[in-house]
Amino acid sequence: MRVKRNPSISNISPRYLFPEIQQQTHTFLQRHPQADLIDLGIGDTTLPLPSFVAQKMSEKAASLATTAGYQGYGPPQGSPELQKKIAEQLYHGCVDPEEIFISDGAKCDIGRLHYLFGPDTAIAVQDPAYPVYGETYLLSGKSLPIDLMPCLPENDFFPTLPPAADIIYFCSPNNPTGIAATKKQLEELIAFARDHDILIIFDAAYSCFIQDPQLPQSIYEIEEARHVAIEVGSFSKIAGFTGLRLGWTVVPKELRFHDGTPVAQDWKRIVSTCFNGASLLSQSGGIAVLEDHAFLEIQQLTDYYLKNGMLLKKAFCALGFETYGGENAPYVWVKLPEKTSWQGFHAFLEKTRIVSVPGSGFGPAGEGFLRFSSFANRSAVEKAVERLKSFSL
Ligand code: PLP
């Protein structure tokens, strides 16, 4: 056909990280068809949905099959009831419901946010980071070099902030390192953004895993953040909605572009232009998750995964590995002595049948690390811990 390919596609790696891992695992299984693999790789949730959430969604589905209960398109910005619940339960009133835009997931909004920004917008991302920030930037046709901000044990995983970037992406707790930024670090980030007149896109997809009350769960816990930060959130990891799809983005009223246009005004326009709101069923599930009694029950899911993380972390420490994360996040970040990430990936696969994620897939500063996910069933984690006892690189 005469249609030309989007040239930006060739600016990103031909394969996303997780299909690459699946391919490597598949090749291994062809050589060892009997291998009993333990998947601590892709960070997908494994516990079933709480039954009251499923119940609420099935009630909603049944009402859609009645004349009185049928609903078509909802408001593009999402259900006002859900906006209100998020504002109350997750932001304790420091964000207004109308500043919350309900989405079909954080990843989708991270992609759509690029519509907001001009072609010469320069971005900086943590290194290592969730690859979606940089890849969607490139896919959107913007092509300035991406500033990588190394986050390593040597700098307490808090980078030197680059003055040249217009937007800094910051994820806390971070995927893949599992490190949650301290209040002081986030104050530094916000002060930097204020001083340099730049925007922060704060990814709080894992905020519900933060246990230490001293660590902020939202960027809006930091004074002045409303003037410089957009926050992206998700029900995926809070409540096992990875398949259902539900998230949100907070765009505070104070945020303005260089020419004075309110950012929320443009975001509203974009959301109603290329998205028509999240599924009514997912939103009814989201409302159920945030009911007072339910929210406590939901925290049991988080606790379960965190216990997995502690078991894994202990096992790696007993083997003498330097390990990070796993306490306020569902990922354990393991340093490999004198091995590349892919060498480590294959060593663990061959010797323990455990699937991990090579740190180098998240950026050059991830080289020499592996990420192990806590999103597994306890029996699988216990089996992994047993196998690790006799492991050596
Ligand atoms: N942000 C980070 C840092 C993630 O690791 C993920 C998923 O793994 C997402 C966002 C995507 O969340 P969602 O399922 O809401 O699209």
Side-chain angles (χ1 to χ4, degrees), residues 43 105-108 110 130 133 171 175 203 205-206 233-234 236-237 242 245-246 331:
K107 189 186 231 181
C108 317
I110 290 165
Y130 184 47
Y133 315 128
C171 180
N175 173 14
D203 186 341
Y206 296 96
S234 172
S236 285
K237 314 291 157 106
T242 50
R245 313 301 304 142
L246 192 66
Y331 298 120

Side-chain angles (χ1 to χ4, degrees), residues 50 52 89 238 288-303:
F52 61 87
Q89 289 282 26
I238 294 182
V289 165
L290 297 176
E291 299 291 352
D292 282 334
H293 66 282
F295 197 50
L296 289 175
E297 235 177 279
I298 287 288
Q299 284 171 3
Q300 291 172 7
L301 301 181
T302 324
D303 292 346

